Amino acid sequence: MIEAISFNDAGLIPAIAQDASTGQVLMVAWMNEEALLETISSKKAVYFSRSRQRLWRKGEESGHVQQVEDIHLDCDGDVILLKVVQIGGIACHTGREHCFFRRLDDEGEWQDCEPVLKSPEDIYQLSDD
């Protein structure tokens, strides 16, 4: 199964998370082999955080877990599509339903076009320790 996948030179593959019922693209992240295998076995989305250089279990801090319904591989074997149920209805760290909340307007400016459902400060409660 892994042999069919074309990871890039960094050992990663882009992964698109799509709402299983609506088809809305929720977010795009990266997976390494370990993240993909854990996603397959747990049926919960696990990604590889390039900034932290470690596995990122979606929802580990926010509680906004992605339950994986289906996994697809594109024709070239270099993109994964996860069809997910987004727990809590928020996929984006900005508190929005999905990460694609900016639209290019007629003047060439990016405009926010989706509401914040929950403030990031309320999602990511930071301790004062």
Side-chain angles (χ1 to χ4, degrees):
M1 174 269 302
I2 291 293
E3 298 78 30
I5 298 172
S6 296
F7 292 96
N8 68 16
D9 292 341
L12 302 173
I13 186 169
I16 301 166
Q18 178 184 47
D19 186 287
S21 61
T22 68
Q24 171 71 53
V25 173
L26 300 174
M27 56 177 278
V28 176
W30 294 90
M31 292 180 141
N32 62 7
E33 183 176 336
E34 183 181 4
L36 178 58
L37 291 173
E38 186 174 326
T39 296
I40 292 167
S41 66
S42 71
K43 298 290 189 193
K44 293 181 182 169
V46 178
Y47 301 107
F48 182 81
S49 171
R50 294 177 300 166
S51 61
R52 295 181 234 166
Q53 289 293 297
R54 67 170 180 82
L55 291 186
W56 160 40
R57 291 161 184 88
K58 179 70 174 141
E60 66 190 358
E61 294 176 19
S62 67
H64 299 141
V65 174
Q66 292 175 341
Q67 292 179 330
V68 177
E69 299 287 313
D70 222 352
I71 301 174
H72 295 258
L73 182 63
D74 82 325
C75 58
D76 295 323
D78 60 2
V79 178
I80 296 286
L81 174 67
L82 303 176
K83 294 191 178 190
V84 303
V85 174
Q86 180 64 60
I87 304 303
I90 297 173
C92 185
H93 73 280
T94 66
R96 292 176 172 87
E97 176 186 2
H98 55 84
C99 294
F100 297 94
F101 60 88
R102 295 182 205 155
R103 183 181 58 81
L104 189 61
D105 69 17
D106 293 337
E107 286 80 40
E109 300 291 327
W110 293 107
Q111 300 294 324
D112 290 356
C113 60
E114 298 289 335
V116 173
L117 302 176
K118 188 172 184 181
S119 157
E121 291 80 18
D122 292 336
I123 294 170
Y124 304 100
Q125 301 271 334
L126 300 177
S127 67
D128 294 339
D129 301 342

